[in-house]
Amino acid sequence: AQKITQTQPGMFVQEKEAVTLDCTYDTSDQSYGLFWYKQPSSGEMIFLIYQGSYDEQNATEGRYSLNFQKARKSANLVISASQLGDSAMYFCAMSGAGTASKLTFGTGTRLQVTL
Amino acid sequence: GAVVSQHPSWVICKSGTSVKIECRSLDFQATTMFWYRQFPKQSLMLMATSNEGSKATYEQGVEKDKFLINHASLTLSTLTVTSAHPEDSSFYICSARGLYYGYTFGSGTRLTVV
């Protein structure tokens, strides 16, 4: 069984600062994927970044980067130069191999960006 | 990019009635559809997984007779909440996956049962 743990229920960050959202995972699969999603108050799930278990380089997408430490089973999201629009709920998720593999979500971290 | 259209965005229904939620993949073939439920301030909980043309696989604790899932074509999946009750009020969201696509989410449906 796969498990995702997000230990930060809420985080505050000042505008233009960087913030790290923690995520640890547990799986017995050799092949898996790690995802981060942003969920604003509207409810939509916005895909941010993906890291495959065999990817040797950390994934980056604009202001988002994923700090992947396989031995520690962690996949932290780093948001650089925070903006007010980054205030939202952030979910870490993982999938197994195969197109029918489900996404398992963590409990989420609510990020609040302040002036 | 891949788009999944989910309707309705919100619905209010009377207790005891049924509600149907649709998810359509607009520009790709969704071989697998996932249906999630999310209560306020909680995470997404998987309800069921459906593959086109097959019966849905429900997660433990999800009543298959209450939450009917149909995935009759590669572009359409529906979730019907039968005999809805106030405790079924929640946010329901679908996620579609195609052969060469990642997980694409619909915009979600807020169901309120009164």
Side-chain angles (χ1 to χ4, degrees):
Chain A
Q2 299 175 332
K3 186 177 180 182
I4 292 282
T5 302
Q6 294 180 254
T7 57
Q8 306 156 313
M11 290 281 286
F12 285 89
V13 64
Q14 271 195 318
E15 197 181 18
K16 300 177 186 175
E17 297 293 310
V19 63
T20 298
L21 306 184
D22 294 342
C23 173
T24 57
Y25 62 92
D26 192 23
T27 181
S28 55
D29 294 340
Q30 295 299 310
S31 177
Y32 52 89
L34 295 157
F35 301 75
W36 277 93
Y37 288 89
K38 172 184 177 181
Q39 187 180 44
S41 56
S42 59
E44 60 183 313
M45 295 293 284
I46 301 169
F47 166 75
L48 297 178
I49 198 164
Y50 166 81
Q51 179 88 38
S53 58
Y54 293 115
D55 294 340
E56 295 185 351
Q57 298 228 338
N58 286 342
T60 60
E61 289 284 351
R63 294 186 299 112
Y64 304 108
S65 60
L66 197 152
N67 185 357
F68 181 45
Q69 298 189 40
K70 195 169 183 177
R72 301 176 69 176
K73 293 190 174 180
S74 74
N76 298 339
L77 176 70
V78 180
I79 305 175
S80 62
S82 297
Q83 302 171 356
L84 294 177
D86 294 335
S87 295
M89 196 74 172
Y90 288 80
F91 290 101
C92 180
M94 77 178 300
S95 70
T99 56
S101 178
K102 64 183 181 182
L103 269 180
T104 300
F105 285 87
T107 50
T109 296
R110 181 162 296 280
L111 178 67
Q112 187 70 44
V113 181
T114 61
L115 290 170
Chain B
V3 177
V4 172
S5 174
Q6 182 171 347
H7 292 281
S9 302
W10 59 270
V11 58
I12 301 173
C13 71
K14 288 186 177 180
S15 188
T17 62
S18 294
V19 173
K20 181 184 282 188
I21 301 169
E22 283 191 358
C23 274
R24 290 182 184 273
S25 55
L26 299 185
D27 47 7
F28 70 102
Q29 294 183 327
T31 52
T32 305
M33 191 72 79
F34 305 91
W35 286 93
Y36 293 86
R37 178 167 57 180
Q38 185 181 29
F39 292 109
K41 300 187 189 303
Q42 293 189 22
S43 186
L44 280 72
M45 298 302 296
L46 181 66
M47 299 174 67
T49 302
S50 72
N51 294 302
E52 183 264 338
S54 304
K55 285 186 178 179
T57 302
Y58 290 81
E59 294 297 300
Q60 194 170 10
V62 177
E63 300 173 61
K64 58 183 68 176
D65 294 331
K66 181 170 189 58
F67 298 100
L68 301 179
I69 290 171
N70 185 284
H71 192 172
S73 79
L74 284 170
T75 58
L76 174 65
S77 178
T78 61
L79 166 66
T80 301
V81 183
T82 63
S83 187
H85 290 285
E87 57 266 30
D88 298 324
S89 298
S90 187
F91 184 69
Y92 294 87
I93 190 165
C94 66
S95 174
R97 196 165 192 201
L99 198 55
Y100 303 109
Y101 293 88
Y103 300 89
T104 303
F105 283 84
S107 53
T109 298
R110 295 192 187 279
L111 170 63
T112 303
V113 185
V114 298

